[in-house]
Amino acid sequence: GESVGLHLPTLSVQEGDNSIINCAYSNSASDYFIWYKQESGKGPQFIIDIRSNMDKRQGQRVTVLLNKTVKHLSLQIAATQPGDSAVYFCAENIPGSSASKIIFGSGTRLSIRP
Amino acid sequence: DVKVTQSSRYLVKRTGEKVFLECVQDMDHENMFWYRQDPGLGLRLIYFSYDVKMKEKGDIPEGYSVSREKKERFSLILESASTNQTSMYLCASLPVQGIRPQHFGDGTRLSIL
């Protein structure tokens, strides 16, 4: 399944299936993107990042895809496990003359069906 | 591992009180940030600091101030708390070199009655 991470929708997946969480970012000048995982009662935890000169990056069970043409970012989680239940949100880094600006999406809640 | 520690997980205060939220990081990061997180709105930047005694307003600084007297500590101050400041507050730190992700604390859930 897919979901857009702007209005905290919920994505429900079967344990063991792959999850795909999407994010539409705002600025074509953004040069760096980050996915965070936030479990209940905890702060955001870094999962994976990607620079704008790449279109794919893989980690352990996670893959981030970047499509700059349509300003779209996705997070793929392979073989989803109960411990993956959390809110996932993306962030984009917009470079500036004096300082960068980081914009965060509002997130998608991932729930796992046993 | 970087550790960002926020002094309180939960805090209940009354309208009009002066409220202090404390954040400490242990990795000698130059940049520190305060965000508030509200459902459906994502993280919104209140203030950030790129060095001791330096501060910059973020997107929603009204009603808040900050203090950075030591590199490792960044305090958020609600001068006169109001009910619309009930929220989750998150502190983050970041080294100045390179493009890297921020490191977050576990947040302070603040309720203003």
Side-chain angles (χ1 to χ4, degrees), chain A residues 6-8 31-32 34 36 38 40-46 49 51 89 93 99-107, chain B residues 9-10 33 35 37 39-45 48 58-59 88 90 94 98-107:
Chain A
L6 290 176
H7 303 291
L8 207 59
D31 61 357
Y32 175 63
I34 309 155
Y36 287 97
Q38 188 173 18
S40 181
K42 294 189 176 181
Q45 179 185 8
F46 167 76
D49 56 5
R51 297 188 183 222
F89 58 89
N93 183 79
S100 296
K101 186 176 176 65
I102 302 173
I103 305 291
F104 294 87
S106 56
Chain B
R9 295 296 302 275
Y10 301 94
F33 306 80
Y35 294 93
Q37 184 178 34
L41 293 180
L43 274 68
R44 293 181 292 165
L45 181 64
F48 68 98
D59 299 318
M88 168 70 93
L90 288 163
L94 183 69
I99 299 178
R100 300 194 187 170
Q102 293 174 321
H103 298 267
F104 286 89
D106 279 337

